[in-house]
Structure formats: C-alpha cells, structure tokens
Amino acid sequence: ELYPAELQLIVSRILVEDFGETDYLIPYIVGLLDDYDFSTARSLLDENSELLHSEPMFYYLNGILDLEGGYYEDAVDWFLQGKAFDDGSDIHEALSLIYYVYIPEHVSALFSAIVLADDEASLTSNIQEFMVNYEELPWILSWISRVPEPKKLVEILSEEEAVISYNSVNFDMEKISIGFYDVAGVLQGNVANAIYGQFLDARTYVYISENMEGVFVEGERKARFDGFDVYSLSPDRSRFLIMDTWGETISMVNNDMSILWSIPAEYSMIPVAWSPDGSRIAISTGWDIYSIIDVESGEVIEALESYYDLVFLSDEEVYAIDYDGDIVRLEDESTLDTNSPALWAGFGDNDKIIYFEYPEEYMDFSYDSLHVFDLNTGEDKIVSDRALFMDAPVPSLKIEGSLLYFTETDLEGLHRIVVLDYTTNEVLFESSPSRDVLIFPDVRPE
C-alpha cells in the first residue's frame, strides 16, 4: 500500500544508513524532502558536499531548500551552478520537486522562468511571458514603486539608530513581526513573520522565523538552524540553546555558531531559566521533571522529579515555584516570605528576585503585578501592576543586570514596552502605545 515515493525513501534510507551506499544519497535526500525533513536534508548535503559536488542535483536540492527558507536569490545561484554540470536531463526533475516546499505560486513561476533561461534573450522572453500570465503584477508594481524599498535586517544592524526590538502581534489581521526602534520609539525597520528575536551583539540578531520554520542569525555573524522553533539566549549573549520542532532534542550553540552539544530531551512549554552567570540552565524535560544542565559540557547535573510550576537559578542555588505559587529554596526547602503567589520568577542583581504575580485567571496572555523581592531585607515591592506574561517556553519578561524589560497595558488595553532600572525605579525607555500586543523586548548592546 506504499506510494512509490514512500518506498523510495525507505529503500534509499536502508541503503544509505545501514549499508553506507553513497550512490543512493540523492534519492534519499529527495525522500527527505517528501517527508518534510528539511533539516536532515540540509545536513546531509553539507556533510557530503565533496562527494556530490559534480552532481547537478546536489546544487538543485540546495536551491530547493533555499527556496523553502525564503532565500530566493541564493536559490537562483544554486540552480545556475547546477546547470553547469547538467546535460538538461535533471533540471526539469528538480523543478518538479519544488512542490515539496511551500512557496507562493507566483514565486515558483518566476523562479522557473529565470533558471530555465539559457541567455539574455530567453530570460527576457520568459519573464515577459510570466508578466502576461500574472496580469495583476502591473497593478501591484504601481503601488510598490510609490514607497522606498524596506530595509533588510543587515542594513538596520549596520546603522546606529535602532536601539530596541520587540514583537508586534495583531490577532485581527493574523500578523506578527519584529520591529526595530530608535530611542524615541520611531520604527526603523522590521522583520515580517518572525517571533522572538534578540540581539547577539550590536551587529548580529537571532530570531525565530514563523514561516521558514527555523532559527536564523543575521548580521556580522550568519547561521541558520532548520527544524528548530525555540531558542533561549544566555545572559551574556555568548551562546544560545535551541530546541527542535518536535520537542525531542536540545542543542547548545556556541559563540562561533557551532553546536557545542546536543542531548535528547522532551522539553515542555515551561520557560527556560539560566543562572545569571550563564554557567547552568534549568529546563523542563518531562512530566514533573526538571533538568539542571552544565552549559559548557551538556552534562545533566541534577534531575528534579517533583511538583513545581517553575525551576529557576541563582549563581549557586536552585529555586522553584510550587503549585501554590510559593517560591522555595530547594537546598533547605525553605519558603520565601513574598507578598503574593508567583507564576514566574528570575534572578536579578544583588540577590533580588523578580517575579510575576499569579493572575486570578490563567490565560495565554496574563496581566498582573510585577514584583521585586530582596532576599537580604525581605522587601517586596511592585514595579508594575499591569505587566504582561505570555505562556511560552521562553520568558516574555527579560532581566539583564539591573534592567528589566517588559510589556504593560493601561485601562484602555493599549500596550507599551518599558525598560526599567528596578534598583532605582527609573524608566529608561517607554514605547508609543499600541493596540497590538507587544512582546519580547530587547535592548541593543553597546
């Protein structure tokens, strides 16, 4: 009852994985496209580039994966390189494989028109035919020509104006993007269909792409991690954790964008927590199990099998929020004398714990008080009474040294991003109000 493509994938997988038959690599990789395993397909092409460098399909398959990732210019370059090794028998098969990846129909048609051209005359003819077949293009181009071309992310990062980034979510239009703003809150540019972005440094940005299904690094440093849809940046921005789409593997990415280690872990949606010094990380790795992992080695230092809503770390100790909302120091199982039950907490400077008060009604987007609790004095103060907390595997509130980045709303439901020095209560940045939901703020490091 198997389809031919399924049978081809099974046979080629056996021949490649069990018998090392590299002659079957190409059909194996084609089968991976049919199986939507783009990450493994990319890895195999990279690992076997020397072996496959004279095969036209090596270039075509790389081009198809770049099409899937939205890198259209790179995809054209791959196909043109492939044509140099092709006698004309492979390119049409390669173009038929495009249906394995999602790209708009007009992009697919234009791409075919470009790569099938043999010279400037045929390129002109092919594109003119494309224009005839898509009669709405002149109307679209008439409007596009009225406004300047939007800045690419690398251009935004090369300039000095953008100082803060955050997501804007419009549920009515089903639209999400990352915006980059100057100190006055004026938009300098954005990245569409992207969720949860942060600055790795002043010239490099890492984000999750909603439609490309991966974690992308752009700017002075470049990298892409296909098949991953969560990442968590270390406090010193030197490395980040990535978690695969299926929730089965976590990997640590080093400063040079190489994978430091990978371990199997069935992570959950509970926010990842780093120790302030970046040496350890706490992750929910199963039902009622939290793993404390050494960041350098990937070794699981401790596995906590108990009933906690959240585990978080100081530089030396492990803390947790139990099901009653109490913050507990696990070394001696003592309960902190906070004023309110907590939903989320993290460590700041000078033995201060920032925590989000447990809302009366838990929702995907919750609004309640944000507290700063001093471990030394027992003082518990509220720094915002309408802060936003989002149910996600990364915190929607960010602590960096003495600074706290968060979203708050007013009584009219307008959202603002706030950057607060929680040691002095000085507001360092406040965005313009927005009816969109604003989340995941980050400040560009100097």
Side-chain angles (χ1 to χ4, degrees):
E1 297 180 0
L2 291 171
Y3 289 105
E6 293 175 315
L7 184 61
Q8 181 184 28
L9 175 60
I10 292 169
V11 173
S12 58
R13 176 175 287 156
I14 292 170
L15 290 170
V16 171
E17 294 185 352
D18 296 344
F19 295 97
E21 293 285 351
T22 54
D23 289 344
Y24 294 87
L25 265 172
I26 292 296
Y28 178 34
I29 295 170
V30 171
L32 290 171
L33 295 185
D34 183 51
D35 210 30
Y36 299 102
D37 190 352
F38 304 129
S39 178
T40 304
R42 177 73 74 176
S43 297
L44 282 171
L45 288 169
D46 291 343
E47 292 166 8
N48 296 279
S49 59
E50 291 188 13
L51 179 67
L52 301 174
H53 76 278
S54 62
E55 296 282 343
M57 286 299 291
F58 166 73
Y59 300 93
Y60 295 151
L61 288 170
N62 271 296
I64 290 168
L65 289 171
D66 272 348
L67 281 175
E68 189 273 334
Y71 295 93
Y72 302 139
E73 291 289 347
D74 293 340
V76 169
D77 289 341
W78 279 114
F79 264 71
L80 295 182
Q81 289 181 69
K83 287 180 70 175
F85 297 91
D86 192 0
D87 61 4
S89 60
D90 286 343
I91 189 167
H92 292 285
E93 179 188 351
L95 289 172
S96 72
L97 298 177
I98 291 178
Y99 77 88
Y100 285 134
V101 302
Y102 172 74
I103 57 173
E105 181 184 350
H106 64 277
V107 174
S108 176
L110 179 58
F111 182 81
S112 297
I114 294 170
V115 300
L116 287 174
D118 295 321
D119 50 36
E120 197 65 30
S122 61
L123 176 64
T124 300
S125 174
N126 288 355
I127 293 179
Q128 286 176 338
E129 182 180 352
F130 166 78
M131 295 287 289
V132 170
N133 291 332
Y134 291 86
E135 296 179 354
E136 70 276 13
L137 283 177
W139 175 78
I140 294 173
L141 293 172
S142 70
W143 284 95
I144 291 176
S145 62
R146 301 185 189 189
V147 297
E149 184 178 347
K151 293 181 181 178
K152 295 181 179 179
L153 180 53
V154 66
E155 294 178 83
I156 297 170
L157 294 171
S158 68
E159 299 171 353
E160 301 295 333
E161 287 78 6
V163 296
I164 190 168
S165 71
Y166 50 84
N167 278 86
S168 299
V169 184
N170 186 303
F171 289 104
D172 293 333
M173 299 181 65
E174 298 182 350
K175 178 181 177 182
I176 181 170
S177 64
I178 297 174
F180 296 85
Y181 301 83
D182 64 17
V183 71
V186 177
L187 181 66
Q188 300 298 306
N190 58 33
V191 176
N193 298 317
I195 52 177
Y196 191 60
Q198 291 180 300
F199 294 98
L200 275 177
D201 55 49
R203 296 288 182 269
T204 311
Y205 199 77
V206 56
Y207 65 94
I208 302 167
S209 174
E210 184 183 39
N211 59 353
M212 298 181 195
E213 298 179 346
V215 175
F216 294 81
V217 180
E218 293 190 31
E220 286 189 349
R221 286 179 282 173
K222 295 182 183 297
R224 55 186 290 171
F225 303 93
D226 296 313
F228 293 86
D229 60 5
V230 177
Y231 82 88
S232 178
L233 185 63
S234 69
D236 64 358
R237 304 176 190 260
S238 64
R239 52 184 52 151
F240 56 91
L241 191 78
I242 54 177
M243 293 168 266
D244 78 309
T245 303
W246 309 111
E248 297 174 348
T249 305
I250 58 176
S251 304
M252 187 63 67
V253 179
N254 222 341
N255 195 45
D256 61 358
M257 301 298 107
S258 64
I259 300 294
L260 185 62
W261 49 259
S262 293
I263 59 174
E266 295 183 6
Y267 70 87
S268 73
M269 289 290 287
I270 297 173
V272 173
W274 294 75
S275 61
D277 64 4
S279 65
R280 296 173 300 149
I281 195 166
I283 307 170
S284 175
T285 50
W287 185 257
D288 293 326
I289 298 175
Y290 285 86
S291 293
I292 312 300
I293 300 172
D294 179 85
V295 168
E296 195 66 38
S297 67
E299 177 187 357
V300 177
I301 303 168
E302 184 178 5
L304 305 172
E305 298 186 38
S306 193
Y307 299 98
Y308 301 119
D309 268 346
L310 179 76
V311 170
F312 65 103
L313 308 169
S314 70
D315 284 340
E316 297 84 20
E317 297 180 294
V318 180
Y319 289 76
I321 299 175
D322 65 19
Y323 285 179
D324 293 323
D326 293 327
I327 299 178
V328 181
R329 180 188 286 112
L330 296 187
E331 183 179 20
D332 56 10
E333 296 187 350
S334 60
T335 300
L336 304 187
D337 188 22
T338 56
N339 290 348
S340 304
L343 174 62
W344 171 89
F347 257 89
D349 280 351
N350 302 320
D351 290 331
K352 289 183 171 57
I353 293 176
I354 290 84
Y355 74 91
F356 181 82
E357 186 174 327
Y358 209 106
E360 292 183 5
E361 182 180 0
Y362 184 80
M363 303 176 67
D364 289 341
F365 290 87
S366 300
Y367 299 89
D368 216 311
S369 297
L370 192 57
H371 296 243
V372 176
F373 178 79
D374 193 318
L375 275 175
N376 298 317
T377 66
E379 179 188 12
D380 189 327
K381 65 178 182 179
I382 294 175
V383 294
S384 174
D385 58 7
R386 285 284 294 169
L388 177 149
F389 181 84
M390 179 183 174
D391 184 15
V394 288
S396 51
L397 313 166
K398 180 177 171 64
I399 306 167
E400 190 169 52
S402 63
L403 301 182
L404 181 58
Y405 316 150
F406 61 96
T407 299
E408 66 178 6
T409 60
D410 57 25
L411 295 177
E412 296 179 1
L414 296 176
H415 291 78
R416 290 179 177 83
I417 293 293
V418 176
V419 179
L420 176 75
D421 185 328
Y422 58 84
T423 63
T424 64
N425 281 352
E426 180 185 3
V427 175
L428 303 178
F429 176 86
E430 186 174 272
S431 73
S432 301
S434 173
R435 295 202 176 275
D436 292 345
V437 178
L438 308 180
I439 50 174
F440 300 134
D442 189 41
V443 170
R444 185 177 186 174
E446 296 181 354

